[in-house]
Every structure is written in structure tokens, then in C-alpha cells.
Amino acid sequence: MNKISVEDLVQQFSLKVLAGQDHLQKSITQPRVHRPGLEFVGHFDFFPTERIQILGRKEINFLHKQTKEERKIRIGNIVHYHPPCFIVTTGEDGLTYLRHHCNEEGIPLLVTEIPETTSEYITKLDTYLINKLAEETFIHGVCLNVFGMGILLRGDSGVGKSETAHTLIGRGHRLVADDIVKLKKLSPQTLLGTHDEKTKEFLALRSIGLINVVRSYGLKAFQNETRISLDIKLTRWQKDSLNNELEQHPEFKEYLGVKVPSIEIQLQPGRDVAGLIEAAANNWYLRQQGYSAASDFMNRIEEEGT
């Protein structure tokens, strides 16, 4: 399970620490935050205790209107569950009582210093947490962004993945990762491809060696991450094994429980593999829009026969 510390959060978002300074190494393991509401009135049946607790204007105004004894009860009920931290988005005025509870229970109390609405902050924080805490795995291959779509290139060592990627970069597409591709599961349907930092911007070409695509071709040649749309396996040419049907039956490759459409492209001297990958990307996009070239073709045949 991936995790980050409260201190990581403080540094990433430039948060001010009001209480619990000695407990900033507490772990955060849940990818979404929680904004307590029902918990303040004693309903804890579905309280996500392992999530960051966000206190916005509504929550702080509600607490300010309570008597000292009522606040003690309502806040005490929540801190009793020891969430990883509280983040207040309305400034630090009048939070003495909250500091006291957080110091007593060893819970970091943080305050945002950049003016923005609570909903905007929650969206930004959720996005960061989902990315950082996502389940991940590594595969051997190349990841590219082709026409705005994330493409995974797989195949045996030496089959020509990196050389094909180099050709695609020359045609204006972008490298994301070469050799080691990190895959992150952002949701049951969303897979993100990125690099492992060490190989960032590098492409390894046989007979040439390592090249830095940004130094060689400019910033447009590299992209930090991309949502994976298509998996392509490059294989060596096998005579009479190619399928010539009008439309291929959909096949899928599964990563971290996410199914990705997958096709196979065979390599042969003189075959424009980069062009075929571009065609596959365009074809996938059209299918997402509901268009099938094979169906369009058959409709024309039927119309001609009537």
C-alpha cells in the first residue's frame, strides 16, 4: 500500500501547522478527503476515520456558534478517532479550542494560506492524493502519447520498441517512458502511464545509445504522464499469420484489474510500423465516437445491392 506523510502534504501545499507539530510523520493512506458534517451531531456509522478531515466555512461557523461545552463534545467525538490530520480552509482566527484538542490527541492541525474556496481546495487535494496513493506496477516497454492518446508498446527485447518510438517522436508525438513504464490505477477504468524518474526523458536506441529527447527534439517531444488508451504488442513477422478480416475482434490486456484494448502488430523490413500505430490510435478514437469503418463499408455494399 502506498502512503505519504502529513509532512509531505505540508510541503506540497505550503500549509501552516497550528498544532501537532510533533506528529507530522503520521501516514496518509486514503486517496480522498472527508468533510465532517453528521459527525458533529453524533452520527458516526460511516465515518471514514483514515481520511484527512477538511473544515471549511460551514464547519467552522457551526463550531463557533456552539457553547464551550458543546464544542468540547462535538470536537472531542471526532478527535477520539484520531484521523491523520485536520485542514482548515478559512484561516486560523478563533481556533484556540481546536488547537487544544489536536495537541492533546497528537493530531496535526493545518491551515491553508492560499485564498481559495473549500470545494476548489478539496478537488485539488483529492487529485494529488489519488495520484500519489494509486496502486501501481512496472512493466517492460515504451509509453507514448500519440494524437493525445496514451499508447503502451510491448514486445520482446530487441524487437524494435524504442526505434519505433523514435520514429513516432520524429512525427511530432511524445515520449512518456522508455524501458521501464510505471502504471498507476487511478480508478477501476483509468490507468495512468508515467516514468520512474531515473529514465525520465531518456530513450535507448541500439547502435546509438542513450539520447535525451528533450535536448534533442525540444520540450514538445516529452510528456510526463498519459492516460493509457491502447496496448500494442510488437512481434516478429510470421508468414501467413496476419488477420485480414475487415474488423478485428476486440481483445484486451489487463493491468491492475483495468482492461485496456490490445492489438498485435508484426514487424517486417519496410513495413511502416509507426504509421500503423498512428492508424490504430485514430481507429480507436473513431470507435470511441461510435464509428466503425467496417460497418460503414458493409452498409454501402448493402445499399448498392438494393
Side-chain angles (χ1 to χ4, degrees), residues 26-56:
K26 290 184 71 170
S27 294
I28 299 168
T29 59
Q30 295 300 309
R32 293 191 182 276
V33 302
H34 177 64
R35 194 172 181 179
L38 291 174
E39 292 80 11
F40 281 133
V41 294
H43 186 75
F44 288 91
D45 287 358
F46 303 100
F47 181 39
T49 59
E50 295 180 352
R51 292 188 187 180
I52 297 167
Q53 304 299 310
I54 302 290
L55 303 177

PDB file of all heavy atoms in Angstrom, residues 26-56:
ATOM      1  N   LYS A  26       2.802  11.162  10.689  1.00  0.00           N
ATOM      2  CA  LYS A  26       1.637  10.286  10.586  1.00  0.00           C
ATOM      3  C   LYS A  26       1.351   9.979   9.123  1.00  0.00           C
ATOM      4  O   LYS A  26       1.512  10.822   8.242  1.00  0.00           O
ATOM      5  CB  LYS A  26       0.412  10.952  11.232  1.00  0.00           C
ATOM      6  CG  LYS A  26       0.493  11.068  12.741  1.00  0.00           C
ATOM      7  CD  LYS A  26      -0.785  11.632  13.334  1.00  0.00           C
ATOM      8  CE  LYS A  26      -1.907  10.621  13.250  1.00  0.00           C
ATOM      9  NZ  LYS A  26      -3.092  11.053  14.036  1.00  0.00           N
ATOM     10  N   SER A  27       0.936   8.755   8.863  1.00  0.00           N
ATOM     11  CA  SER A  27       0.732   8.304   7.485  1.00  0.00           C
ATOM     12  C   SER A  27      -0.670   8.629   6.979  1.00  0.00           C
ATOM     13  O   SER A  27      -1.652   8.566   7.725  1.00  0.00           O
ATOM     14  CB  SER A  27       0.948   6.787   7.393  1.00  0.00           C
ATOM     15  OG  SER A  27       2.298   6.471   7.667  1.00  0.00           O
ATOM     16  N   ILE A  28      -0.724   8.959   5.694  1.00  0.00           N
ATOM     17  CA  ILE A  28      -1.986   9.137   4.982  1.00  0.00           C
ATOM     18  C   ILE A  28      -2.058   8.028   3.940  1.00  0.00           C
ATOM     19  O   ILE A  28      -1.171   7.889   3.097  1.00  0.00           O
ATOM     20  CB  ILE A  28      -2.047  10.514   4.298  1.00  0.00           C
ATOM     21  CG1 ILE A  28      -1.957  11.628   5.347  1.00  0.00           C
ATOM     22  CG2 ILE A  28      -3.324  10.659   3.472  1.00  0.00           C
ATOM     23  CD1 ILE A  28      -1.724  13.001   4.757  1.00  0.00           C
ATOM     24  N   THR A  29      -3.110   7.216   4.000  1.00  0.00           N
ATOM     25  CA  THR A  29      -3.221   6.067   3.100  1.00  0.00           C
ATOM     26  C   THR A  29      -4.468   6.105   2.229  1.00  0.00           C
ATOM     27  O   THR A  29      -4.590   5.319   1.291  1.00  0.00           O
ATOM     28  CB  THR A  29      -3.243   4.751   3.907  1.00  0.00           C
ATOM     29  OG1 THR A  29      -4.358   4.772   4.812  1.00  0.00           O
ATOM     30  CG2 THR A  29      -1.955   4.582   4.710  1.00  0.00           C
ATOM     31  N   GLN A  30      -5.403   7.015   2.524  1.00  0.00           N
ATOM     32  CA  GLN A  30      -6.658   7.065   1.770  1.00  0.00           C
ATOM     33  C   GLN A  30      -6.629   8.181   0.723  1.00  0.00           C
ATOM     34  O   GLN A  30      -6.233   9.307   1.028  1.00  0.00           O
ATOM     35  CB  GLN A  30      -7.837   7.285   2.726  1.00  0.00           C
ATOM     36  CG  GLN A  30      -8.058   6.132   3.680  1.00  0.00           C
ATOM     37  CD  GLN A  30      -8.344   4.827   2.947  1.00  0.00           C
ATOM     38  OE1 GLN A  30      -9.210   4.765   2.077  1.00  0.00           O
ATOM     39  NE2 GLN A  30      -7.602   3.781   3.279  1.00  0.00           N
ATOM     40  N   PRO A  31      -7.058   7.888  -0.508  1.00  0.00           N
ATOM     41  CA  PRO A  31      -6.895   8.852  -1.603  1.00  0.00           C
ATOM     42  C   PRO A  31      -7.965   9.935  -1.699  1.00  0.00           C
ATOM     43  O   PRO A  31      -7.958  10.704  -2.651  1.00  0.00           O
ATOM     44  CB  PRO A  31      -6.939   7.952  -2.842  1.00  0.00           C
ATOM     45  CG  PRO A  31      -7.802   6.813  -2.435  1.00  0.00           C
ATOM     46  CD  PRO A  31      -7.522   6.588  -0.991  1.00  0.00           C
ATOM     47  N   ARG A  32      -8.866   9.995  -0.760  1.00  0.00           N
ATOM     48  CA  ARG A  32      -9.864  11.068  -0.783  1.00  0.00           C
ATOM     49  C   ARG A  32     -10.013  11.663   0.609  1.00  0.00           C
ATOM     50  O   ARG A  32      -9.785  10.984   1.614  1.00  0.00           O
ATOM     51  CB  ARG A  32     -11.223  10.567  -1.288  1.00  0.00           C
ATOM     52  CG  ARG A  32     -11.188  10.165  -2.758  1.00  0.00           C
ATOM     53  CD  ARG A  32     -12.574   9.923  -3.306  1.00  0.00           C
ATOM     54  NE  ARG A  32     -12.523   9.490  -4.694  1.00  0.00           N
ATOM     55  CZ  ARG A  32     -12.444  10.308  -5.729  1.00  0.00           C
ATOM     56  NH1 ARG A  32     -12.401  11.612  -5.533  1.00  0.00           N
ATOM     57  NH2 ARG A  32     -12.415   9.844  -6.955  1.00  0.00           N
ATOM     58  N   VAL A  33     -10.426  12.936   0.659  1.00  0.00           N
ATOM     59  CA  VAL A  33     -10.595  13.613   1.939  1.00  0.00           C
ATOM     60  C   VAL A  33     -12.049  13.517   2.380  1.00  0.00           C
ATOM     61  O   VAL A  33     -12.926  13.080   1.624  1.00  0.00           O
ATOM     62  CB  VAL A  33     -10.160  15.087   1.842  1.00  0.00           C
ATOM     63  CG1 VAL A  33      -8.713  15.187   1.392  1.00  0.00           C
ATOM     64  CG2 VAL A  33     -11.067  15.871   0.901  1.00  0.00           C
ATOM     65  N   HIS A  34     -12.312  13.958   3.607  1.00  0.00           N
ATOM     66  CA  HIS A  34     -13.680  13.924   4.150  1.00  0.00           C
ATOM     67  C   HIS A  34     -13.977  15.262   4.805  1.00  0.00           C
ATOM     68  O   HIS A  34     -13.126  15.852   5.475  1.00  0.00           O
ATOM     69  CB  HIS A  34     -13.809  12.808   5.186  1.00  0.00           C
ATOM     70  CG  HIS A  34     -15.161  12.750   5.829  1.00  0.00           C
ATOM     71  ND1 HIS A  34     -16.306  12.462   5.134  1.00  0.00           N
ATOM     72  CD2 HIS A  34     -15.558  12.970   7.118  1.00  0.00           C
ATOM     73  CE1 HIS A  34     -17.332  12.486   5.941  1.00  0.00           C
ATOM     74  NE2 HIS A  34     -16.924  12.798   7.157  1.00  0.00           N
ATOM     75  N   ARG A  35     -15.207  15.712   4.588  1.00  0.00           N
ATOM     76  CA  ARG A  35     -15.659  16.956   5.191  1.00  0.00           C
ATOM     77  C   ARG A  35     -16.733  16.617   6.228  1.00  0.00           C
ATOM     78  O   ARG A  35     -17.878  16.330   5.880  1.00  0.00           O
ATOM     79  CB  ARG A  35     -16.227  17.881   4.111  1.00  0.00           C
ATOM     80  CG  ARG A  35     -16.418  19.322   4.539  1.00  0.00           C
ATOM     81  CD  ARG A  35     -16.791  20.192   3.347  1.00  0.00           C
ATOM     82  NE  ARG A  35     -16.939  21.569   3.768  1.00  0.00           N
ATOM     83  CZ  ARG A  35     -17.234  22.577   2.961  1.00  0.00           C
ATOM     84  NH1 ARG A  35     -17.403  22.324   1.663  1.00  0.00           N
ATOM     85  NH2 ARG A  35     -17.351  23.804   3.424  1.00  0.00           N
ATOM     86  N   PRO A  36     -16.396  16.596   7.517  1.00  0.00           N
ATOM     87  CA  PRO A  36     -17.353  16.135   8.537  1.00  0.00           C
ATOM     88  C   PRO A  36     -18.581  17.027   8.623  1.00  0.00           C
ATOM     89  O   PRO A  36     -18.495  18.253   8.536  1.00  0.00           O
ATOM     90  CB  PRO A  36     -16.538  16.180   9.831  1.00  0.00           C
ATOM     91  CG  PRO A  36     -15.455  17.158   9.570  1.00  0.00           C
ATOM     92  CD  PRO A  36     -15.130  17.048   8.106  1.00  0.00           C
ATOM     93  N   GLY A  37     -19.726  16.392   8.767  1.00  0.00           N
ATOM     94  CA  GLY A  37     -20.981  17.112   8.930  1.00  0.00           C
ATOM     95  C   GLY A  37     -21.833  16.413   9.961  1.00  0.00           C
ATOM     96  O   GLY A  37     -22.008  16.891  11.089  1.00  0.00           O
ATOM     97  N   LEU A  38     -22.330  15.229   9.575  1.00  0.00           N
ATOM     98  CA  LEU A  38     -23.138  14.448  10.507  1.00  0.00           C
ATOM     99  C   LEU A  38     -22.365  14.062  11.762  1.00  0.00           C
ATOM    100  O   LEU A  38     -22.951  13.895  12.835  1.00  0.00           O
ATOM    101  CB  LEU A  38     -23.657  13.182   9.804  1.00  0.00           C
ATOM    102  CG  LEU A  38     -24.693  13.391   8.708  1.00  0.00           C
ATOM    103  CD1 LEU A  38     -25.007  12.080   8.003  1.00  0.00           C
ATOM    104  CD2 LEU A  38     -25.973  13.990   9.285  1.00  0.00           C
ATOM    105  N   GLU A  39     -21.037  13.957  11.624  1.00  0.00           N
ATOM    106  CA  GLU A  39     -20.230  13.572  12.792  1.00  0.00           C
ATOM    107  C   GLU A  39     -20.318  14.612  13.912  1.00  0.00           C
ATOM    108  O   GLU A  39     -20.206  14.275  15.092  1.00  0.00           O
ATOM    109  CB  GLU A  39     -18.769  13.375  12.379  1.00  0.00           C
ATOM    110  CG  GLU A  39     -18.528  12.165  11.479  1.00  0.00           C
ATOM    111  CD  GLU A  39     -18.872  12.416  10.023  1.00  0.00           C
ATOM    112  OE1 GLU A  39     -19.104  13.589   9.656  1.00  0.00           O
ATOM    113  OE2 GLU A  39     -18.904  11.431   9.254  1.00  0.00           O
ATOM    114  N   PHE A  40     -20.521  15.867  13.558  1.00  0.00           N
ATOM    115  CA  PHE A  40     -20.626  16.913  14.578  1.00  0.00           C
ATOM    116  C   PHE A  40     -21.905  16.789  15.404  1.00  0.00           C
ATOM    117  O   PHE A  40     -22.005  17.368  16.484  1.00  0.00           O
ATOM    118  CB  PHE A  40     -20.567  18.306  13.936  1.00  0.00           C
ATOM    119  CG  PHE A  40     -19.174  18.742  13.583  1.00  0.00           C
ATOM    120  CD1 PHE A  40     -18.902  19.288  12.348  1.00  0.00           C
ATOM    121  CD2 PHE A  40     -18.141  18.611  14.495  1.00  0.00           C
ATOM    122  CE1 PHE A  40     -17.612  19.686  12.020  1.00  0.00           C
ATOM    123  CE2 PHE A  40     -16.850  19.011  14.169  1.00  0.00           C
ATOM    124  CZ  PHE A  40     -16.583  19.546  12.934  1.00  0.00           C
ATOM    125  N   VAL A  41     -22.882  16.059  14.878  1.00  0.00           N
ATOM    126  CA  VAL A  41     -24.119  15.869  15.648  1.00  0.00           C
ATOM    127  C   VAL A  41     -24.234  14.439  16.160  1.00  0.00           C
ATOM    128  O   VAL A  41     -25.317  13.977  16.525  1.00  0.00           O
ATOM    129  CB  VAL A  41     -25.362  16.248  14.811  1.00  0.00           C
ATOM    130  CG1 VAL A  41     -25.358  17.728  14.507  1.00  0.00           C
ATOM    131  CG2 VAL A  41     -25.442  15.432  13.524  1.00  0.00           C
ATOM    132  N   GLY A  42     -23.099  13.711  16.152  1.00  0.00           N
ATOM    133  CA  GLY A  42     -23.043  12.414  16.811  1.00  0.00           C
ATOM    134  C   GLY A  42     -23.320  11.209  15.946  1.00  0.00           C
ATOM    135  O   GLY A  42     -23.491  10.107  16.469  1.00  0.00           O
ATOM    136  N   HIS A  43     -23.373  11.366  14.610  1.00  0.00           N
ATOM    137  CA  HIS A  43     -23.627  10.222  13.732  1.00  0.00           C
ATOM    138  C   HIS A  43     -22.298   9.739  13.139  1.00  0.00           C
ATOM    139  O   HIS A  43     -21.722  10.378  12.275  1.00  0.00           O
ATOM    140  CB  HIS A  43     -24.580  10.630  12.607  1.00  0.00           C
ATOM    141  CG  HIS A  43     -25.003   9.483  11.735  1.00  0.00           C
ATOM    142  ND1 HIS A  43     -25.919   8.527  12.126  1.00  0.00           N
ATOM    143  CD2 HIS A  43     -24.620   9.131  10.484  1.00  0.00           C
ATOM    144  CE1 HIS A  43     -26.082   7.648  11.160  1.00  0.00           C
ATOM    145  NE2 HIS A  43     -25.301   7.999  10.144  1.00  0.00           N
ATOM    146  N   PHE A  44     -21.835   8.561  13.589  1.00  0.00           N
ATOM    147  CA  PHE A  44     -20.507   8.079  13.196  1.00  0.00           C
ATOM    148  C   PHE A  44     -20.551   6.728  12.479  1.00  0.00           C
ATOM    149  O   PHE A  44     -19.524   6.080  12.329  1.00  0.00           O
ATOM    150  CB  PHE A  44     -19.607   7.951  14.433  1.00  0.00           C
ATOM    151  CG  PHE A  44     -19.182   9.279  15.001  1.00  0.00           C
ATOM    152  CD1 PHE A  44     -19.941   9.883  15.993  1.00  0.00           C
ATOM    153  CD2 PHE A  44     -18.058   9.932  14.544  1.00  0.00           C
ATOM    154  CE1 PHE A  44     -19.567  11.104  16.521  1.00  0.00           C
ATOM    155  CE2 PHE A  44     -17.673  11.158  15.067  1.00  0.00           C
ATOM    156  CZ  PHE A  44     -18.435  11.749  16.051  1.00  0.00           C
ATOM    157  N   ASP A  45     -21.728   6.313  12.006  1.00  0.00           N
ATOM    158  CA  ASP A  45     -21.849   4.977  11.411  1.00  0.00           C
ATOM    159  C   ASP A  45     -20.940   4.796  10.197  1.00  0.00           C
ATOM    160  O   ASP A  45     -20.439   3.701   9.953  1.00  0.00           O
ATOM    161  CB  ASP A  45     -23.296   4.716  11.009  1.00  0.00           C
ATOM    162  CG  ASP A  45     -24.194   4.473  12.215  1.00  0.00           C
ATOM    163  OD1 ASP A  45     -23.658   4.475  13.337  1.00  0.00           O
ATOM    164  OD2 ASP A  45     -25.413   4.300  12.035  1.00  0.00           O
ATOM    165  N   PHE A  46     -20.723   5.841   9.409  1.00  0.00           N
ATOM    166  CA  PHE A  46     -19.921   5.717   8.188  1.00  0.00           C
ATOM    167  C   PHE A  46     -18.771   6.720   8.183  1.00  0.00           C
ATOM    168  O   PHE A  46     -18.364   7.207   7.135  1.00  0.00           O
ATOM    169  CB  PHE A  46     -20.811   5.914   6.949  1.00  0.00           C
ATOM    170  CG  PHE A  46     -21.964   4.955   6.887  1.00  0.00           C
ATOM    171  CD1 PHE A  46     -23.235   5.353   7.282  1.00  0.00           C
ATOM    172  CD2 PHE A  46     -21.776   3.660   6.449  1.00  0.00           C
ATOM    173  CE1 PHE A  46     -24.302   4.468   7.234  1.00  0.00           C
ATOM    174  CE2 PHE A  46     -22.834   2.763   6.400  1.00  0.00           C
ATOM    175  CZ  PHE A  46     -24.106   3.168   6.791  1.00  0.00           C
ATOM    176  N   PHE A  47     -18.235   7.001   9.341  1.00  0.00           N
ATOM    177  CA  PHE A  47     -17.178   7.989   9.460  1.00  0.00           C
ATOM    178  C   PHE A  47     -15.856   7.413   8.946  1.00  0.00           C
ATOM    179  O   PHE A  47     -15.326   6.446   9.507  1.00  0.00           O
ATOM    180  CB  PHE A  47     -17.039   8.415  10.920  1.00  0.00           C
ATOM    181  CG  PHE A  47     -15.980   9.461  11.156  1.00  0.00           C
ATOM    182  CD1 PHE A  47     -15.776  10.498  10.265  1.00  0.00           C
ATOM    183  CD2 PHE A  47     -15.178   9.416  12.297  1.00  0.00           C
ATOM    184  CE1 PHE A  47     -14.812  11.465  10.483  1.00  0.00           C
ATOM    185  CE2 PHE A  47     -14.209  10.375  12.537  1.00  0.00           C
ATOM    186  CZ  PHE A  47     -14.026  11.401  11.619  1.00  0.00           C
ATOM    187  N   PRO A  48     -15.285   7.975   7.856  1.00  0.00           N
ATOM    188  CA  PRO A  48     -14.010   7.465   7.324  1.00  0.00           C
ATOM    189  C   PRO A  48     -12.831   7.986   8.149  1.00  0.00           C
ATOM    190  O   PRO A  48     -12.223   9.010   7.832  1.00  0.00           O
ATOM    191  CB  PRO A  48     -13.991   8.023   5.896  1.00  0.00           C
ATOM    192  CG  PRO A  48     -14.801   9.270   5.974  1.00  0.00           C
ATOM    193  CD  PRO A  48     -15.824   9.083   7.048  1.00  0.00           C
ATOM    194  N   THR A  49     -12.499   7.286   9.185  1.00  0.00           N
ATOM    195  CA  THR A  49     -11.521   7.776  10.166  1.00  0.00           C
ATOM    196  C   THR A  49     -10.113   7.899   9.612  1.00  0.00           C
ATOM    197  O   THR A  49      -9.293   8.640  10.162  1.00  0.00           O
ATOM    198  CB  THR A  49     -11.489   6.835  11.381  1.00  0.00           C
ATOM    199  OG1 THR A  49     -11.142   5.509  10.946  1.00  0.00           O
ATOM    200  CG2 THR A  49     -12.846   6.788  12.058  1.00  0.00           C
ATOM    201  N   GLU A  50      -9.779   7.203   8.506  1.00  0.00           N
ATOM    202  CA  GLU A  50      -8.412   7.228   7.983  1.00  0.00           C
ATOM    203  C   GLU A  50      -8.207   8.330   6.945  1.00  0.00           C
ATOM    204  O   GLU A  50      -7.115   8.473   6.402  1.00  0.00           O
ATOM    205  CB  GLU A  50      -8.060   5.868   7.375  1.00  0.00           C
ATOM    206  CG  GLU A  50      -8.032   4.741   8.415  1.00  0.00           C
ATOM    207  CD  GLU A  50      -7.676   3.410   7.800  1.00  0.00           C
ATOM    208  OE1 GLU A  50      -7.611   3.337   6.554  1.00  0.00           O
ATOM    209  OE2 GLU A  50      -7.464   2.445   8.539  1.00  0.00           O
ATOM    210  N   ARG A  51      -9.245   9.114   6.691  1.00  0.00           N
ATOM    211  CA  ARG A  51      -9.128  10.190   5.707  1.00  0.00           C
ATOM    212  C   ARG A  51      -8.779  11.521   6.379  1.00  0.00           C
ATOM    213  O   ARG A  51      -9.080  11.749   7.545  1.00  0.00           O
ATOM    214  CB  ARG A  51     -10.437  10.360   4.933  1.00  0.00           C
ATOM    215  CG  ARG A  51     -10.777   9.199   4.024  1.00  0.00           C
ATOM    216  CD  ARG A  51     -11.973   9.541   3.170  1.00  0.00           C
ATOM    217  NE  ARG A  51     -12.432   8.393   2.400  1.00  0.00           N
ATOM    218  CZ  ARG A  51     -13.468   8.421   1.566  1.00  0.00           C
ATOM    219  NH1 ARG A  51     -14.146   9.551   1.406  1.00  0.00           N
ATOM    220  NH2 ARG A  51     -13.815   7.338   0.896  1.00  0.00           N
ATOM    221  N   ILE A  52      -8.157  12.401   5.603  1.00  0.00           N
ATOM    222  CA  ILE A  52      -7.929  13.773   6.049  1.00  0.00           C
ATOM    223  C   ILE A  52      -9.286  14.444   6.259  1.00  0.00           C
ATOM    224  O   ILE A  52     -10.195  14.292   5.441  1.00  0.00           O
ATOM    225  CB  ILE A  52      -7.123  14.546   4.980  1.00  0.00           C
ATOM    226  CG1 ILE A  52      -5.742  13.915   4.784  1.00  0.00           C
ATOM    227  CG2 ILE A  52      -7.011  16.020   5.325  1.00  0.00           C
ATOM    228  CD1 ILE A  52      -5.029  14.418   3.553  1.00  0.00           C
ATOM    229  N   GLN A  53      -9.423  15.194   7.341  1.00  0.00           N
ATOM    230  CA  GLN A  53     -10.677  15.889   7.639  1.00  0.00           C
ATOM    231  C   GLN A  53     -10.543  17.366   7.259  1.00  0.00           C
ATOM    232  O   GLN A  53      -9.635  18.049   7.721  1.00  0.00           O
ATOM    233  CB  GLN A  53     -11.024  15.744   9.117  1.00  0.00           C
ATOM    234  CG  GLN A  53     -11.102  14.304   9.609  1.00  0.00           C
ATOM    235  CD  GLN A  53     -12.184  13.499   8.895  1.00  0.00           C
ATOM    236  OE1 GLN A  53     -13.326  13.945   8.804  1.00  0.00           O
ATOM    237  NE2 GLN A  53     -11.807  12.330   8.389  1.00  0.00           N
ATOM    238  N   ILE A  54     -11.437  17.832   6.387  1.00  0.00           N
ATOM    239  CA  ILE A  54     -11.413  19.212   5.915  1.00  0.00           C
ATOM    240  C   ILE A  54     -12.489  20.021   6.641  1.00  0.00           C
ATOM    241  O   ILE A  54     -13.660  19.619   6.681  1.00  0.00           O
ATOM    242  CB  ILE A  54     -11.673  19.290   4.398  1.00  0.00           C
ATOM    243  CG1 ILE A  54     -10.625  18.477   3.630  1.00  0.00           C
ATOM    244  CG2 ILE A  54     -11.678  20.746   3.929  1.00  0.00           C
ATOM    245  CD1 ILE A  54      -9.233  19.066   3.655  1.00  0.00           C
ATOM    246  N   LEU A  55     -12.094  21.151   7.190  1.00  0.00           N
ATOM    247  CA  LEU A  55     -13.034  22.051   7.862  1.00  0.00           C
ATOM    248  C   LEU A  55     -13.086  23.361   7.087  1.00  0.00           C
ATOM    249  O   LEU A  55     -12.115  24.126   7.056  1.00  0.00           O
ATOM    250  CB  LEU A  55     -12.603  22.308   9.315  1.00  0.00           C
ATOM    251  CG  LEU A  55     -12.447  21.059  10.201  1.00  0.00           C
ATOM    252  CD1 LEU A  55     -11.955  21.462  11.586  1.00  0.00           C
ATOM    253  CD2 LEU A  55     -13.764  20.308  10.295  1.00  0.00           C
ATOM    254  N   GLY A  56     -14.237  23.610   6.444  1.00  0.00           N
ATOM    255  CA  GLY A  56     -14.434  24.834   5.682  1.00  0.00           C
ATOM    256  C   GLY A  56     -15.263  25.844   6.460  1.00  0.00           C
ATOM    257  O   GLY A  56     -15.463  25.714   7.672  1.00  0.00           O
TER     258      GLY A  56
END
